[in-house]
């Protein structure tokens, strides 16, 4: 998913482990989230929307790149889980041990954080074609993993 009006990121927050990878592209100009790329999810399931915290703010996440000390990539070593919510939304769980304290909301994206750390993100209003594509990719990956192991 690319955020409209922005180029792909020059900095990347990579979330995942050996079985999952989610890349969040971040603008070098202003630290804004500009792209979301799910390469592979550790687990997938059907579930419900997580409880929203009391603090909900309109906008996109901004990352303080000064804290990155010149590194173009930062890694969060947690498995990323994919949860299908309803028929047109997906939840990407970045850290299931963190309780969201704040949600940033922008159009079809909800981004949950806890003390500056990402917890999960939800993309809704997906088309039937986008959901079908995700399910087909997951089915293909599952078949490949079963053959390899």
């Amino acid at each position: 998913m690319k955020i409209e009006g922005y180029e792909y990121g020059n900095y990347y927050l990579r979330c995942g482990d050996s079985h999952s990878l989610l890349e969040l592209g971040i603008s070098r100009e202003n630290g804004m989230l500009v792209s979301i790329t799910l390469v592979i999810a550790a687990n997938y399931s059907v579930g419900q929307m997580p409880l929203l915290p009391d603090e909900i703010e309109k906008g996109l996440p901004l990352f303080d790149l000064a804290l990155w000390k010149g590194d173009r990539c930062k890694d969060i070593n947690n498995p990323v889980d994919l949860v299908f919510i309803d028929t047109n939304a997906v939840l990407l769980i970045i850290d299931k041990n963190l309780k969201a304290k704040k949600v940033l909301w922008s159009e079809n994206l909800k981004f949950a954080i806890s003390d500056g750390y990402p917890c999960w993100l939800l993309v809704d209003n997906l088309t039937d074609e986008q959901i079908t594509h995700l399910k087909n990719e997951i089915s293909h990956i599952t078949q490949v993993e079963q053959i390899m192991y």
Side-chain angles (χ1 to χ4, degrees):
M1 174 180 152
K2 182 175 178 266
I3 310 296
E4 288 300 315
Y6 294 94
E7 294 299 318
Y8 283 97
N10 298 97
Y11 288 79
Y12 293 92
L13 179 60
R14 299 181 301 203
C15 309
D17 61 2
S18 61
H19 300 288
S20 62
L21 178 59
L22 171 68
E23 288 185 337
L24 303 178
I26 301 164
S27 167
R28 70 175 170 195
E29 283 83 30
N30 58 15
M32 184 179 292
L33 175 70
V34 294
S35 66
I36 301 167
T37 305
L38 178 63
V39 178
I40 188 169
N43 297 300
Y44 64 94
S45 61
V46 175
Q48 297 179 1
M49 171 78 180
L51 292 175
L52 294 175
D54 292 334
E55 189 175 352
I56 298 175
E57 185 177 302
K58 190 164 175 106
L60 289 169
L62 294 174
F63 294 83
D64 186 353
L65 297 176
L67 297 175
W68 291 36
K69 299 181 180 166
D71 293 336
R72 290 193 60 224
C73 293
K74 287 288 182 186
D75 295 324
I76 295 176
N77 295 313
N78 284 328
V80 175
D81 293 333
L82 171 66
V83 180
F84 289 95
I85 309 290
D86 296 326
T87 57
N88 68 345
V90 293
L91 174 69
L92 297 168
I93 302 172
I94 297 169
D95 192 330
K96 60 186 168 190
N97 296 318
L98 290 177
K99 182 179 177 187
K101 294 182 179 178
K102 180 179 186 178
V103 169
L104 299 168
W105 169 75
S106 177
E107 295 182 28
N108 64 334
L109 174 67
K110 291 178 180 67
F111 194 98
I113 56 175
S114 178
D115 298 324
Y117 292 95
C119 302
W120 53 261
L121 59 94
L122 177 90
V123 181
D124 59 9
N125 296 321
L126 295 170
T127 65
D128 290 341
E129 293 82 23
Q130 290 170 318
I131 292 290
T132 300
H133 177 74
L134 271 171
K135 288 180 178 178
N136 287 341
E137 288 297 316
I138 289 168
S139 174
H140 170 72
I141 290 167
T142 302
Q143 291 171 3
V144 170
E145 285 181 352
Q146 288 174 351
I147 292 168
M148 290 175 59
Y149 299 103

